[in-house]
Amino acid sequence: MKTEASLTYFELLIPEEAIRKRIQEIARTLEADYEGKEILLVMIMKGSLLLVADLIRALQIKVCIEFVSCSSYGESGTVRGRLRVNGLEQINAEGKHILVVDDIFDSGHTLLGVIDRLQKMQPESMKTLVLLSKRVPRNVPYQPDYVLFDIEDRFVVGYGLDYKEHFRGLPGVYALLLENLPTQN
Ligand code: IMP
Ligand code: MG
């Protein structure tokens, strides 16, 4: 998407330099918070892919990785579909220090659905980390433990986040100007 025209689809919100710097900061915080412990990082695919790749290279403590993917069935109009979490059967969370990582905290249903299911496996501890948290009113009484950036309520892509599976590889986070996108069939 490095074409002249793409400039009108995206508005840069968070440059890659800022992400890199913030990952170093959060890595130091995690090292202090998990001193002497081993993290079982559960990544929510696919949006957390780039964040996890960069975070584990910045961390100087022991980290093992597992992953889940989420889908909502029966999603139509304003009715939210039931969250399905795939891959839980591969995870042994009992007695572990779980850190669930997702790309964005929007309504909160995805992250809460995942931690709810993992909690049943009796981990030693459970925390959450997200790249972005949208400033939106929520009816869930929960905040992720670690938030790299708070953003306004706009649809964003890049650094793992997609629009219909596109734009995950953009190095920064961009607001997508949906109204400017060419219509697709
Ligand atoms: P929630 O369940 O409403 O918190 O939504 C979380 C999931 O929705 C994320 O894991 C993303 O996959 C997706 N999502 C929410 N907002 C955006 C956005 O602005 N851009 C891309 N994906 C988003
Ligand atoms: Mg997505």
Side-chain angles (χ1 to χ4, degrees):
M1 293 309 293
K2 290 189 176 92
T3 61
E4 196 84 343
S6 70
L7 295 173
T8 57
Y9 308 151
F10 305 120
E11 181 187 324
L12 180 62
L13 294 185
I14 310 171
E16 57 179 313
E17 280 307 315
I19 299 173
R20 196 171 305 149
K21 190 163 166 272
R22 189 75 183 102
I23 284 178
Q24 290 301 329
E25 283 174 10
I26 216 88
R28 300 295 83 82
T29 304
L30 289 168
E31 285 160 8
D33 292 357
Y34 286 92
E35 196 184 347
K37 295 172 183 161
E38 184 171 315
I39 296 175
L40 177 58
L41 190 160
V42 177
M43 55 191 295
I44 302 182
M45 294 292 259
K46 300 168 229 171
S48 67
L49 193 61
L50 276 67
L51 172 61
V52 171
D54 286 340
L55 183 63
I56 61 173
R57 284 181 287 183
L59 277 174
Q60 292 170 16
I61 46 173
K62 286 186 189 165
V63 184
C64 292
I65 301 174
E66 293 292 351
F67 66 92
V68 294
S69 63
C70 298
S71 41
S72 286
Y73 282 88
E75 209 165 324
S76 65
T78 55
V79 182
R80 178 175 296 279
R82 190 180 144 69
L83 182 78
R84 183 166 163 187
V85 183
N86 308 299
L88 287 165
E89 64 286 353
Q90 306 292 334
I91 300 174
N92 176 11
E94 192 181 340
K96 307 275 176 64
H97 295 285
I98 305 287
L99 181 65
V100 182
V101 179
D102 202 3
D103 51 2
I104 189 163
F105 190 66
D106 187 8
S107 72
H109 285 94
T110 304
L111 202 56
L112 280 166
V114 171
I115 61 175
D116 197 46
R117 286 156 176 84
L118 289 169
Q119 201 76 63
K120 297 197 173 88
M121 300 181 188
Q122 298 178 313
E124 176 74 24
S125 71
M126 172 93 72
K127 286 190 179 183
T128 55
L129 181 150
V130 292
L131 174 70
L132 307 171
S133 177
K134 276 191 192 174
R135 283 189 214 102
V136 289
R138 295 187 187 90
N139 45 21
V140 294
Y142 182 81
Q143 280 297 317
D145 296 281
Y146 306 95
V147 175
L148 274 68
F149 299 96
D150 282 300
I151 59 164
E152 54 192 299
D153 185 14
R154 299 176 74 181
F155 193 84
V156 292
V157 294
Y159 200 71
L161 290 125
D162 73 301
Y163 170 67
K164 297 184 178 176
E165 295 302 325
H166 293 289
F167 314 126
R168 290 192 198 274
L170 292 173
V173 173
Y174 295 78
L176 185 63
L177 309 176
L178 286 164
E179 64 279 12
N180 291 1
L181 280 185
T183 46
Q184 297 158 17
N185 296 314

